[in-house]
Amino acid sequence: MTITLITGANKGIGFETARQLLELGHVVYIGARDVERGEKAAAALGARFVQLDVTDDASVSSALATIDAAEGRLDVLVHNAGILGEGAIDGPKALRVFDTNAVGIVRVTEAALPLLRRSSNPNVVTVSSSAGSFWAVNNPDRPEFHLPLALYSASKAAATMLTVQYAKAHPGIKFNALEPGTTATDMTAAFGIGRSPAESARTVVRLATLGADGPTGTFQDESGELRW
């Protein structure tokens, strides 16, 4: 039985990732800031719910303590929580975006490491973005070239770098980041673009179900490794 925690999983790609992993037999914990929305999502899927705000140390500690008490370990951690931070830029907004998209990864990973070390096949997957790829944003043939999302892009570059550095620091645990593909979610509604979250979740699921000999320290999309 594989124990999985997905942050920001009450909707969008996180919700569909939970659905697909449940179908594969995982025990899935849906982490969400909002208790009512999180409990509703978990009930709809047959998943378990933990209140988890990636910007709050006490919330993160409590969520992992709950999983520890119930399961004794964690096999898969999916960092899915994220915000766009679109529009005018100022210091408070920058802090909020980086706190969610990058610092949140550190909070949850550090709290989860003791539980991951008890797994026979520990696996951490970060939903990053090629909007944080220096190669993609400088390539006129890529859609990221035209995206006006400075804070999102910069924070996702940090998320991918954190993935690589964690992989180097913890060789016994797989850490991989991914570009899920342009997806129609609440977060991207203003752009009117993207495919279904279910399609994009397949890449998350592929990395979340890697065998013990799977890759680590990579940044991938559905076609394989990406330049960044």
Side-chain angles (χ1 to χ4, degrees), residues 9 12 26 32 71 77 82 103 112 120 122 124 133 150 163 193 203 205 212 217:
H26 286 223
E71 313 293 348
L77 169 61
V103 182
S120 60
V124 180
S133 159
T163 301
I193 54 174
T203 303
V205 170

Side-chain angles (χ1 to χ4, degrees), residues 7-50:
T7 68
N10 60 290
K11 60 183 179 180
I13 294 173
F15 183 84
E16 289 299 332
T17 298
R19 183 197 301 279
Q20 292 177 30
L21 289 175
L22 282 162
E23 289 173 355
L24 293 173
H26 286 223
V27 173
V28 176
Y29 282 82
I30 282 180
R33 286 180 301 177
D34 186 283
V35 173
E36 185 179 350
R37 291 176 183 170
E39 287 180 340
K40 184 178 178 181
L45 292 175
R48 302 176 189 185
F49 169 69
V50 284

Side-chain angles (χ1 to χ4, degrees), residues 84 143 147 149 181-197:
L84 272 184
L147 270 184
L149 295 171
T182 306
T183 311
T185 64
D186 287 355
M187 197 165 76
T188 60
F191 297 96
I193 54 174
R195 62 190 184 183
S196 74

Side-chain angles (χ1 to χ4, degrees), residues 82-144:
I83 58 175
L84 272 184
E86 71 274 31
I89 295 174
D90 58 21
K93 182 182 284 187
L95 288 170
R96 191 164 65 251
V97 172
F98 273 84
D99 200 18
T100 304
N101 295 358
V103 182
I105 290 172
V106 175
R107 281 193 189 92
V108 179
T109 301
E110 292 298 324
L113 280 172
L115 282 74
L116 288 163
R117 291 192 185 105
R118 295 183 210 142
S119 171
S120 60
N121 182 28
N123 191 359
V124 180
V125 181
T126 298
V127 180
S128 189
S129 174
S130 51
S133 159
F134 290 85
W135 164 74
V137 300
N138 285 299
N139 184 343
D141 296 327
R142 296 279 302 195
E144 298 86 355

